[in-house]
Amino acid sequence: MTLLCALGLALAGCYNNVRGPGPTNGITTFQLDSDDYQILGTVEAEGTIYSILGLFNYGGQGFSALREKALKMGGDDVINVQTDLEVFGVLFFVYNEFRWKATGTVIRYRSGVRAAE
């Protein structure tokens, strides 16, 4: 039994491929005012992250889903990102789903202002 527990702990988190929306507030390296950008609209993205036995974690898309939609709208960046998280689980660690939904404001920079790549 002890050997089985040790093996379980050694394998815990052995497969992780998770991308979530991340922090909602990043570091601002410069100050923008309303003359620096044009608001194009809002975008939404959602995804689900799955965890089975705490060993296999996969799913999600992360901020890249919002950014991809912003680029299709002709935008340069997404600001004011907000996320909601809904969690569903069975017996704590047997099976878990983390459903997230993110929204953000699409902007296009004016007068030569560009985000750091």
Side-chain angles (χ1 to χ4, degrees):
M1 182 65 170
T2 304
L3 180 60
L4 194 56
C5 287
L7 181 62
L9 288 174
L11 293 175
C14 67
Y15 176 75
N16 292 294
N17 184 14
V18 175
R19 294 184 295 165
T24 57
N25 293 317
I27 297 172
T28 302
T29 56
F30 54 90
Q31 185 70 35
L32 293 175
D33 62 35
S34 59
D35 292 332
D36 293 329
Y37 61 91
Q38 173 188 5
I39 295 176
L40 300 180
T42 59
V43 288
E44 292 184 354
E46 55 187 57
T48 304
I49 300 167
Y50 303 93
S51 177
I52 301 171
L53 298 175
L55 298 174
F56 303 99
N57 304 297
Y58 59 94
Q61 287 181 306
F63 181 76
S64 61
L66 287 178
R67 184 151 170 84
E68 182 179 305
K69 290 181 178 186
L71 292 174
K72 286 181 182 177
M73 289 178 64
D76 295 317
D77 208 349
V78 181
I79 61 172
N80 300 331
V81 176
Q82 298 178 5
T83 58
D84 294 320
L85 182 65
E86 179 183 341
V87 179
F88 169 79
V90 176
L91 295 177
F92 183 62
F93 72 94
V94 174
Y95 177 80
N96 290 288
E97 289 182 4
F98 304 90
R99 290 183 216 99
W100 59 267
K101 183 175 183 178
T103 60
T105 304
V106 179
I107 62 170
R108 179 184 302 138
Y109 294 110
R110 294 181 180 165
S111 65
V113 177
R114 292 285 179 250
E117 296 290 325

